[in-house]
Amino acid sequence: MTTLQQAIEQVNNAGNKAFVPYIMAGDGGLATLKPTILSLQNMGVTAIEVGIPFTDPVADGPTIEQAGERALAEGVTLRKVLEALASFRHQITVPLVVMTYFNPVLAYGLEQFAIACVAGGVKGIIVPDVPLEESEILRQTLNPHGVDVVQLVSLTSPPDRIARIAAASQGFVYAVTVNGITGARASFADDLEGHFARLRNMSPIPVLAGFGISTPQQVVSMSALGDGVIVGSTIVAALHEGNVAKVEALVAASKGTLETEIV
């Protein structure tokens, strides 16, 4: 069992759901990365997904895309983020999952990227523009360094492909809950319960729901479908606005202490 999977299952075994906030590294300057990660860690999150700003994102909605543009304007790069993580690695106790695209990894050099991930305490990566059929090169390079490759599964994936994705994913399966890009949604598809039931039946590792989840109530309802949730755009916007209470309310919802929604 990998470090990432173990962290999620420990939370589940304690009767709670996993909560993984997404942040855009360097939004507000790279100096914000350390206090942001340590603050989320102190709130009791299960793991943290660290987004790398990129000029041509394919999965990000307007909120995360704009955060990426702010970080790029600050000169933030994949290399600088990993170096920053390494500088306070000894203070990080939760698994970190880097979400990036393949071109920055390729430019870094796969083996050097893997070594830098270890130095920065990174336990998993998500590379949404590398399809399952091309992802073996990532596992071959990163797995020997103890870094998982998390695979995404969409609502439109046929059963045979869902089974292959679930078998290949490591740490957890990232179950995308909407058709389209990231960003808050007021409602979700009616057949999500059946989709998650089939996916969990096929997956030997935890299944986390992500995309579109933006309120404590949605954290509760989506968590009930799987083993936890990933919340991105709302976290990114709240951090940008300095609304820490909104982030705390989302984390609290995953622990069964749903509070009055804070806006």
Side-chain angles (χ1 to χ4, degrees):
M1 184 184 298
T2 67
T3 300
L4 186 55
Q5 180 181 347
Q6 187 175 34
I8 294 168
E9 293 194 354
Q10 283 179 344
V11 171
N12 291 162
N13 291 338
N16 295 318
K17 297 292 186 176
F19 185 90
V20 180
Y22 170 99
I23 62 172
M24 175 57 73
D27 184 14
L30 200 54
T32 64
L33 185 60
K34 177 180 177 179
T36 298
I37 286 177
L38 297 183
S39 175
L40 291 168
Q41 180 174 280
N42 290 336
M43 290 181 198
V45 303
T46 309
I48 299 172
E49 186 181 348
V50 180
I52 306 298
F54 185 55
T55 52
D56 299 297
V58 297
D60 300 330
T63 300
I64 292 178
E65 187 172 351
Q66 289 164 15
E69 290 173 353
R70 292 193 294 267
L72 287 171
E74 296 279 352
V76 176
T77 65
L78 173 60
R79 185 178 298 276
K80 289 181 179 178
V81 172
L82 292 174
E83 289 174 351
L85 293 175
S87 71
F88 62 99
R89 169 70 186 91
H90 63 288
Q91 294 178 260
I92 303 172
T93 58
V94 297
L96 302 181
V97 182
V98 161
M99 188 280 192
T100 184
Y101 292 93
F102 190 61
N103 272 353
V105 174
L106 192 61
Y108 203 120
L110 283 172
E111 185 65 23
Q112 291 304 310
F113 172 68
I115 293 171
C117 282
V118 174
V122 175
K123 300 301 183 184
I125 67 163
I126 301 170
V127 189
D129 60 344
V130 174
L132 173 67
E133 291 75 10
E134 307 294 335
S135 61
E136 184 58 28
I137 188 174
L138 293 174
R139 285 188 291 277
Q140 287 179 350
T141 307
L142 292 161
N143 286 175
H145 295 276
V147 180
D148 293 339
V149 178
V150 178
Q151 299 285 344
L152 289 85
V153 61
S154 73
L155 292 175
T156 57
S157 298
D160 64 325
R161 184 170 176 79
I162 290 176
R164 287 189 288 123
I165 291 173
S169 194
Q170 300 167 326
F172 65 92
V173 176
Y174 193 133
V176 178
T177 55
V178 301
N179 290 320
I181 55 179
T182 64
R185 302 290 201 280
S187 62
F188 294 85
D190 294 333
D191 60 347
L192 274 183
E193 187 172 349
H195 173 74
F196 270 81
R198 290 188 293 274
L199 176 53
R200 294 185 78 189
N201 189 49
M202 295 178 183
S203 176
I205 60 176
V207 175
L208 304 190
F211 280 41
I213 302 167
S214 61
T215 69
Q217 289 78 8
Q218 289 176 344
V219 169
V220 173
S221 60
M222 288 297 172
S223 292
L225 300 177
D227 302 295
V229 297
I230 303 160
V231 180
S233 296
T234 298
I235 297 280
V236 168
L239 292 174
H240 181 58
E241 297 162 357
N243 191 347
V244 176
K246 191 168 189 175
V247 179
E248 291 173 335
L250 292 163
V251 178
S254 71
K255 302 180 184 302
T257 53
L258 183 61
E259 299 173 350
T260 302
E261 184 174 357
I262 298 172
V263 297

